[in-house]
Amino acid sequence: MTLPMNRPHVPQSDTEATASQLPAPNWGDLSATLGMRTAGVYLALWVATPFVQVVPLLGGMYRASLQWLVPRFAAVVLGNPNAYQPAATGSGDTTYNFALAALLATLSLVGAIVWTRRAPMPLSPRITCWWHDVLRFGLASTLLSYGIAKVVPSQFAALDPSRLLQPLGEFTPMGLLWAFMGQSSMYQMFGGWCEVIPGVLLLFRRTGIVGAFLAVPVLVNVVALNLFYDVPVKLHSLHYLAMACALVLPATGALWAAMTGASFTARQPHPVEPRAATVIRAVATTLLLLRGVGQLVMEVGSSDSMSNAGGDSTIHGIWARVDQTGETPAWRTLAVSWRSSVWFDKDSSVFISIRADPKTHRLELPASVIKPPTGPRINTSTITLNYTRLGDTLTLSSLPGDDSMRMTFHLRDPNAMRLLRGRFRWIQDYPDNR
């Protein structure tokens, strides 16, 4: 029997093909796909986390899972055993927040690897559209929330008496930024509209790309302020900027072609989707608009009642001491603001909480400001004083039967301060820089 020596062997199936016969994988495309999917899953998880936490029943389970998982992930993987969720402090840059970001990034990488192994091909237009919608609604919600708080304006409080008397050197960088923004309500409102307009445009698919383009420079400025003035929402603002850039990225090719005249292949139109998808987007848009209107009403209502936050608005202001009898502390100036705080000009500024009852004309404040505590213990007791205002005169005195203290203050005109009496002028022959 003669064997056909020159006849090539033809594989009968794909499994018979050798490694040399298979096309070499394009590692560049594979790495880009893996990176884009990791970033996409991560941003989607970051956006979804706060929304899921407010869902009844599911939100509680999700929060409990994170509170159990994040500290253990931080202790085992990051080597930090202190990543427990603290009480509400107003900071978004806690150890817990950074550990949560690291956990979500790890889960996103693992998910992207599994996803790419099972489906290495590019994403379908339908999945891409849904991912864009998640980022679009998440960014719109944030911009509307922060923007409305500035438009009212309420995010940055106007300079109250305690701030006006605080020495500049005692401001923190964040406090200085808040005072700078609060000094001009018009500038604060301008910043608010710069966030509200992109937020509204992001709610609708046809105008979403315009809103994303407008949001990028606004968020670049926000990130810079948070970084350079040490505002503890750096992590959040960086995520919002990344979301805006992710929404803008698909349109950069068309923008570059329009600027340079280069050729450009238009992206595929939005796929035809079931009617349920259109309904979901319409419901989400409506809910976010209603949420914005509700927040606007609440912000306006809170700003109207803010002047009565100290209990008795008739004693709000800056008071200079003119007389004293008995054993009184060395107060030179008293500042009562809507924040229910008092600033005493002694050797340094002291912020305390007070409660003024306009019916009984009694003022309750910590006893430590009258008589400093001795020893290392913390004194939590309070002292009650009578107060009486006649015209521009305020009198603080001990309760009946105790004549140990009496102080008289005179109201200072806040408009006498250069900062408050400053006015806008088109023509200035000399700059008013003091």
Side-chain angles (χ1 to χ4, degrees):
M1 181 176 179
T2 304
L3 296 177
M5 301 299 296
N6 298 325
R7 185 176 179 181
H9 172 70
V10 179
Q12 300 299 316
S13 64
D14 292 340
T15 58
E16 296 185 35
T18 62
S20 60
Q21 294 173 314
L22 294 175
N26 190 332
W27 295 110
D29 292 345
L30 189 62
S31 300
T33 300
L34 181 61
M36 293 182 64
R37 290 182 178 182
T38 301
V41 173
Y42 175 79
L43 289 178
L45 287 176
W46 182 270
V47 173
T49 293
F51 288 97
V52 173
Q53 294 189 43
V54 299
V55 177
L57 186 60
L58 178 62
M61 298 172 58
Y62 187 71
R63 285 194 302 271
S65 300
L66 290 180
Q67 292 173 5
W68 181 88
L69 184 59
V70 171
R72 287 160 177 79
F73 172 82
V76 175
V77 179
L78 305 180
N80 191 329
N82 302 316
Y84 290 93
Q85 187 174 26
T89 61
S91 173
D93 292 336
T94 63
T95 304
Y96 177 88
N97 293 125
F98 277 94
L100 174 61
L103 173 62
L104 294 181
T106 303
L107 295 176
S108 300
L109 177 60
V110 173
I113 292 174
V114 175
W115 185 4
T116 304
R117 283 182 60 87
R118 290 182 173 272
M121 300 301 292
L123 297 180
S124 66
R126 180 169 298 178
I127 294 179
T128 303
C129 287
W130 276 110
W131 179 74
H132 274 255
D133 287 337
V134 170
L135 297 189
R136 186 164 56 85
F137 286 123
L139 185 59
S141 174
T142 299
L143 289 175
L144 288 174
S145 178
Y146 281 98
I148 290 173
K150 295 181 181 68
V151 168
V152 171
S154 61
Q155 181 178 356
F156 303 100
L159 297 181
D160 56 43
S162 59
R163 280 299 194 190
L164 290 171
L165 291 184
Q166 184 179 357
L168 182 62
E170 293 188 6
F171 277 81
T172 64
M174 179 179 173
L176 183 61
L177 173 62
W178 249 244
F180 163 75
M181 294 293 295
Q183 196 278 335
S184 175
S185 59
M186 297 303 296
Y187 181 73
Q188 185 179 171
M189 293 172 66
F190 169 77
W193 284 114
C194 288
E195 295 175 352
V196 168
I197 293 175
V200 173
L201 293 175
L202 283 166
L203 291 177
F204 306 97
R205 176 179 283 185
R206 292 181 179 273
T207 58
I209 187 63
V210 179
F213 268 109
L214 294 177
V216 169
V218 173
L219 290 171
V220 167
N221 181 61
V222 171
V223 168
L225 290 174
N226 292 338
L227 290 177
F228 303 139
Y229 282 88
D230 196 27
V231 182
V233 284
K234 309 174 190 68
L235 191 62
H236 289 281
S237 58
L238 285 170
H239 279 83
Y240 302 141
L241 177 59
M243 291 161 59
C245 291
L247 291 171
V248 166
L249 187 61
T252 54
L255 180 62
W256 178 255
M259 295 173 60
T260 61
S263 59
F264 175 75
T265 302
R267 67 189 182 104
Q268 298 180 1
H270 292 295
V272 179
E273 296 179 328
R275 183 176 180 84
T278 304
V279 173
I280 291 174
R281 291 189 177 92
V283 170
T285 302
T286 304
L287 290 177
L288 288 177
L289 286 174
L290 292 176
R291 177 176 175 267
V293 173
Q295 181 187 351
L296 180 62
V297 174
M298 292 179 60
E299 295 284 359
V300 172
S302 63
S303 63
D304 291 340
S305 61
M306 195 172 292
S307 60
N308 296 323
D312 189 354
S313 60
T314 62
I315 63 173
H316 291 184
I318 301 173
W319 303 89
R321 194 179 65 185
V322 295
D323 188 21
Q324 67 177 23
T325 58
E327 297 180 1
T328 58
W331 299 348
R332 293 197 300 269
T333 307
L334 168 66
V336 185
S337 68
W338 59 264
R339 295 182 301 175
S340 302
S341 62
V342 179
W343 188 85
F344 302 113
D345 186 3
K346 188 181 178 183
D347 297 327
S348 61
S349 58
V350 179
F351 287 90
I352 64 173
S353 297
I354 65 170
R355 288 190 298 176
D357 189 345
K359 296 181 180 180
T360 61
H361 291 278
R362 291 188 175 182
L363 192 72
E364 186 177 293
L365 65 160
S368 58
V369 300
I370 304 295
K371 184 178 181 180
T374 58
R377 66 186 179 86
I378 299 176
N379 192 338
T380 58
S381 61
T382 59
I383 188 172
T384 302
L385 301 176
N386 281 330
Y387 70 88
T388 304
R389 176 176 179 177
L390 295 175
D392 291 342
T393 302
L394 176 67
T395 302
L396 299 182
S397 61
S398 304
L399 295 179
D402 181 5
D403 298 331
S404 62
M405 186 179 68
R406 181 182 178 87
M407 291 184 293
T408 304
F409 297 86
H410 183 73
L411 181 64
R412 291 179 53 182
D413 182 10
N415 293 323
M417 295 185 174
R418 188 187 300 272
L419 182 62
L420 297 184
R421 73 169 186 263
R423 59 186 180 85
F424 174 80
R425 292 171 293 174
W426 282 111
I427 300 175
Q428 294 190 49
D429 294 326
Y430 300 96
D432 189 12
N433 184 13
R434 298 293 186 271

